Amino acid sequence: MDIDSDDRELLAGARGPAMKLAMEIVMQAGRIMGAERLQHVTFAHLDACFYNGQAHIDFARFCLDHRATFAVPTWGNNGVVSLTHPELYRNHPDTEMVEGARKLLELYELLGCKPTWTCAPYHIPGGPKFGDQIVAGESNAVSFYNSVTGARTNKYGDYLDVACALIGKVPYAGLQTDEGRRAEIHLSTDEIPGDWKREDIFYHLLGHHVGRLAGRRVPVVSGLPKSASVDNLKAVSTAVASSGGVELWHGVGVTPEAPSLDAVFGGGETFRLTRDDLRAAQAALSIGRDGPLEVVALGTPHFSTTEFRDVLALLDGRKVKPGLRCIITTSRFVMGYIEDKGWAEDLRRAGVEVIGDICSYYAPGINPMKGRVMTNAAKWAYYAPGMLPVEVCFGSLSECMESAVRGEVWRDPQLWSAL
């Protein structure tokens, strides 16, 4: 691999053993990826701050003890515990996990990581822009940054993401290159009624279907309305990364690199999305039976300010049924915004819990979540049944909030009769 004099100094240990290790990790990854050179990056979002055991702490402490420093602005993914809500962990039986997760976030902040602690960093000002070469590890962030922002990153696993951020370079391969970003399959949505494409649930179901269809290939989707919102595109990005391994998708006329089908697709398999495909996606994500609810769980990925505005409009002054938990997870940045707007107090009075820094299907403080849970997030519906003793009912945001008020699963007959 072609490297410069600065890289050779790092390999020789001129800046200490931690930076030497980082350079060795990136070089080895580059050889595996078939890269011929390294590429400078301008931003990093780390997944390695998500605690998965003592090795995570040992790695971060090694970097800190040997004075490693990040070469680019570096933000953190959500943690396993919430630092905004420490009361969730009082008397928690798994003290090793709770203390380990707290310590890991502290170590990365000491290393210079901005304590954003969110899986939706693209809702925070100051992130990457179109065309920027970056580093990301969280699956939905990788997909969103590539597809909606138009920045360039592969999915870098834990420790490799840190190593790249430390040296400020990545192997020039895969989605960092022009050729790696060409679409390999095409999905037309022309058969779906236009009214349905204005529903938020459409984008979750579309993403789930595309992920299953594409696997790890780059798909391009045509027929999406230009009115698709950032939250809609987030829903697609999250679902494709969950049900498949999609790190980049193109939306013709919607996402930055796909002004036309020809701009990103040179030919290959074409599929047509049908109403049956959407019904099948709904059935796959909604394995629970309709009936009384224990929890409504929203915010996977972390809620945006516009999603909070929509929740308040749907509640319209009503309250969550007593005894039912309605949980929304979000970033501390968005929490600050809704506090300033007075929305947080409105939500508290309505019986909605807003929690920062974490994801509700992973966080030990919210466990034991059990029973029948409703969500509007395809990612939550996809992963939670394998991690928690829950049966998931998947629905639109409107269906979730109406169900929260009623205390039982409510389906919108007008929505489903139109499909």
Side-chain angles (χ1 to χ4, degrees):
M1 191 182 303
D2 184 20
I3 60 174
D4 60 24
S5 57
D6 290 340
D7 299 332
R8 283 190 283 274
E9 284 189 6
L10 288 176
L11 280 176
R15 291 183 53 195
M19 297 301 288
K20 179 176 188 291
L21 175 62
M23 191 67 206
E24 290 171 344
I25 291 172
V26 175
M27 289 287 289
Q28 184 61 26
R31 294 186 189 99
I32 294 170
M33 297 166 74
E36 296 181 352
R37 65 176 177 87
L38 301 181
Q39 168 67 47
H40 283 282
V41 294
T42 58
F43 171 86
H45 180 250
L46 302 184
D47 190 58
C49 58
F50 192 91
Y51 178 79
N52 274 309
Q54 184 62 36
H56 273 63
I57 291 179
D58 292 345
F59 182 81
R61 195 185 299 279
F62 177 79
C63 293
L64 190 62
D65 288 348
H66 293 283
R67 300 181 180 181
T69 55
F70 293 118
V72 295
T74 301
W75 296 3
N77 193 10
N78 61 271
V80 173
V81 298
S82 168
L83 301 184
T84 65
H85 289 73
E87 72 278 5
L88 291 171
Y89 310 99
R90 291 193 188 111
N91 303 317
H92 195 282
D94 195 344
T95 54
E96 181 179 343
M97 173 182 280
V98 170
E99 291 308 313
R102 283 178 180 157
K103 174 57 69 176
L104 187 62
L105 296 178
E106 177 185 318
L107 289 171
Y108 274 106
E109 188 169 357
L110 289 171
L111 266 171
C113 180
K114 185 176 180 179
T116 51
W117 313 143
T118 178
C119 59
Y122 37 82
H123 289 319
I124 300 176
K129 304 179 297 298
F130 175 68
D132 286 350
Q133 297 276 359
I134 67 167
V135 176
E138 210 293 326
S139 63
N140 98 82
V142 169
S143 183
F144 187 96
Y145 276 141
N146 273 318
S147 311
V148 183
T149 304
R152 297 187 172 203
T153 179
N154 292 298
K155 187 179 187 309
Y156 295 101
D158 288 6
Y159 309 147
L160 177 56
D161 55 354
V162 179
C164 291
L166 290 173
I167 71 166
K169 295 178 182 178
V170 295
Y172 188 64
L175 299 179
Q176 312 281 170
T177 70
D178 289 340
E179 57 272 23
R181 300 177 71 83
R182 297 288 294 174
E184 297 163 280
I185 63 169
H186 166 220
L187 180 76
S188 167
T189 65
D190 289 345
E191 292 185 14
I192 305 304
D195 287 349
W196 238 83
K197 295 179 183 176
R198 286 193 283 273
E199 300 288 345
D200 60 271
I201 196 171
F202 166 70
Y203 296 90
H204 293 271
L205 297 176
L206 169 67
H208 180 80
H209 178 75
V210 172
R212 298 291 294 270
L213 189 68
R216 292 187 59 81
R217 294 177 291 181
V218 177
V220 54
V221 180
S222 64
L224 297 179
K226 294 186 182 300
S227 60
S229 68
V230 168
D231 292 325
N232 295 151
L233 303 180
K234 175 175 75 169
V236 178
S237 301
T238 305
V240 295
S242 301
S243 64
V246 175
E247 298 167 18
L248 163 65
W249 66 278
H250 298 289
V252 176
V254 176
T255 58
E257 292 170 72
S260 67
L261 183 63
D262 291 343
V264 294
F265 188 55
E269 287 184 287
T270 291
F271 302 87
R272 302 187 74 80
L273 182 70
T274 68
R275 300 179 190 213
D276 285 344
D277 292 330
L278 294 180
R279 293 191 191 97
Q282 163 69 5
L285 292 170
S286 195
I287 60 173
R289 295 165 297 173
D290 290 358
L293 281 168
E294 276 73 33
V295 182
V296 171
L298 309 174
T300 304
H302 282 168
F303 245 34
S304 67
T305 57
T306 52
E307 289 173 306
F308 275 111
R309 180 200 63 197
D310 293 344
V311 162
L312 285 168
L314 290 165
L315 284 170
D316 193 23
R318 298 178 298 167
K319 294 185 177 180
V320 171
K321 185 168 182 176
L324 183 149
R325 294 187 74 184
C326 181
I327 300 167
I328 304 178
T329 50
T330 190
S331 67
R332 50 183 60 192
F333 171 82
V334 173
M335 284 181 71
Y337 180 90
I338 66 172
E339 285 284 355
D340 292 344
K341 297 283 284 186
W343 296 355
E345 181 56 31
D346 293 339
L347 290 164
R348 279 192 287 270
R349 281 199 298 267
V352 177
E353 297 176 58
V354 179
I355 303 173
D357 296 343
I358 56 172
C359 176
S360 59
Y361 69 78
Y362 244 118
I366 293 179
N367 294 338
M369 193 182 295
K370 60 184 179 180
R372 185 174 292 121
V373 182
M374 193 165 189
T375 184
N376 76 327
K379 182 173 184 175
W380 207 99
Y382 185 80
Y383 286 123
M387 306 177 72
L388 301 172
V390 297
E391 55 174 292
V392 178
C393 298
F394 178 76
S396 67
L397 183 60
S398 173
E399 289 177 318
C400 286
M401 295 317 300
E402 187 63 31
S403 299
V405 171
R406 297 182 183 216
E408 62 182 5
V409 177
W410 175 79
R411 298 295 183 188
D412 182 350
Q414 188 173 355
L415 171 68
W416 295 105
S417 64
L419 184 62

